[in-house]
Amino acid sequence: QVQLVESGGGVVQPGTSLRLSCAASGFTFSSYAMHWVRQAPGKGLEWVAVISYHGSDKYYADSVKGRFTISRDISKNTLYLQMNSLRPEDTAVYYCGNAGFGSGTYLPLEYWGQGTLVTVSS
Amino acid sequence: DIVMTQSPDSLAVSLGERATINCKSSQSLLSSSSTNNYLAWYQQKPGQPPNLLIYWASTRESGVPDRFSGSGSGTDFTLTISSLQAEDVAVYYCQQYYTAPLTFGGGTKVEIK
C-alpha cells in the first residue's frame, strides 16, 4: 500500500535552515507530482509547494517563495523540502502528499503522510 | 491567487440529519477544455492527516461512504453529508487545484448537536 513518511522536523531558531524528507513507497514515485502542505497549531491547511513528476516544474506559495525549495530524488523515492531563513510563522506540521489520478501537476492530494512538526522559536 | 471561502465556519447537526458545507472560489474552477471543476474536499479528524473525500467537485474517492456527495460548478460548490454519523465529526476543507498556488478554504468544523 502507499506509504509516505516524513522526517527531519524539530526545533530550530529563527533564521536557520532545515531539510524535510518524505520517503515514498507502494507506488511508482517517478510517475506522480508531489506536494508539501503545512498546518500551524490549531489552524487550517496551507499548501506550500508542488513538484511535477519529472521534477522540472516547481511552484510555491507566496509565503515561502525564495526561502523554500522542493526537490525529489527518484533513485531514493524521496521528496525533500529545503527550508531556509525560517521564521516563527513557519511553525507547523508539514505533510507530504502525492497528486493522485495521473501524472499531472494540478491534481488533488490522494495520499498523505502523518506529518512532521517544525517549531521555529528562539 | 484564487481565494477559497468556506461557510459556515462550524455547524452542529443531529445524528442522521443532513450537513451542508459551502465553498466559493474567487474565480471559476471549470476547465475551458473539459467539463471538470478542479475542486476537492478533504476530511480531517483530530490528530490525523487530511483524507481525500471528493475530487473533480463530485467524484467520490474509493472507499468513501455514499452519504458524502459533492456538487456545484464554476465558483460555487457544496459538500453534503446526507445522514450525519458520529464518525463524521471532523473539519472539512475544500481545495482548488486549478492553478498554482493551490489554495484551501479555511475549514468547516462539523459537530454533533
Side-chain angles (χ1 to χ4, degrees):
Chain A
Q1 74 280 21
V2 173
Q3 273 205 312
L4 298 168
V5 180
E6 302 94 338
S7 61
V11 181
V12 296
Q13 293 195 328
T16 61
S17 300
L18 201 61
R19 189 178 80 160
L20 305 183
S21 300
C22 170
S25 61
F27 67 104
T28 306
F29 180 69
S30 58
S31 296
Y32 295 91
M34 296 292 297
H35 296 261
W36 286 101
V37 172
R38 68 184 181 183
Q39 187 169 36
K43 302 297 185 182
L45 301 172
E46 181 186 15
W47 177 84
V48 172
V50 64
I51 184 168
S52 60
Y53 76 96
H54 45 70
S56 300
D57 298 327
K58 305 173 184 181
Y59 302 99
Y60 300 92
D62 292 343
S63 58
V64 307
K65 201 175 296 182
R67 299 188 300 124
F68 290 11
T69 301
I70 190 171
S71 63
R72 64 194 302 163
D73 186 333
I74 302 299
S75 67
K76 296 182 178 179
N77 280 3
T78 301
L79 174 73
Y80 300 103
L81 186 68
Q82 177 66 43
M83 305 186 294
N84 299 330
S85 304
L86 282 162
R87 305 166 179 170
E89 55 264 37
D90 295 320
T91 295
V93 173
Y94 285 73
Y95 298 102
C96 65
N98 77 332
F101 315 113
S103 59
T105 301
Y106 298 111
L107 290 168
L109 283 79
E110 186 176 18
Y111 296 101
W112 298 63
Q114 291 296 310
T116 186
L117 176 62
V118 174
T119 304
V120 185
S121 174
S122 54
Chain B
D1 298 0
I2 297 177
V3 177
M4 306 299 291
T5 303
Q6 283 183 237
S7 63
D9 293 335
S10 63
L11 75 161
V13 176
S14 300
L15 288 172
E17 295 300 305
R18 178 184 300 258
T20 302
I21 300 169
N22 300 300
C23 177
K24 188 174 184 67
S25 59
S26 61
Q27 66 185 71
S28 177
L29 304 182
L30 181 61
S31 170
S32 58
S33 59
S34 74
T35 58
N36 288 330
N37 286 278
Y38 285 59
L39 188 281
W41 290 96
Y42 300 87
Q43 175 194 63
Q44 187 178 32
K45 297 181 180 180
Q48 296 183 19
N51 180 47
L52 178 65
L53 295 176
I54 302 283
Y55 56 97
W56 301 129
S58 61
T59 301
R60 200 178 300 116
E61 169 69 324
S62 175
V64 172
D66 61 6
R67 63 180 180 273
F68 290 93
S69 63
S71 63
S73 183
T75 61
D76 292 280
F77 302 91
T78 300
L79 175 69
T80 301
I81 310 172
S82 61
S83 176
L84 191 75
Q85 305 300 303
E87 60 266 30
D88 302 334
V89 169
V91 180
Y92 294 84
Y93 296 92
C94 60
Q95 182 208 24
Q96 66 83 14
Y97 49 96
Y98 184 83
T99 188
L102 285 68
T103 43
F104 288 92
T108 296
K109 187 174 185 179
V110 174
E111 299 172 309
I112 305 295
K113 184 188 290 182

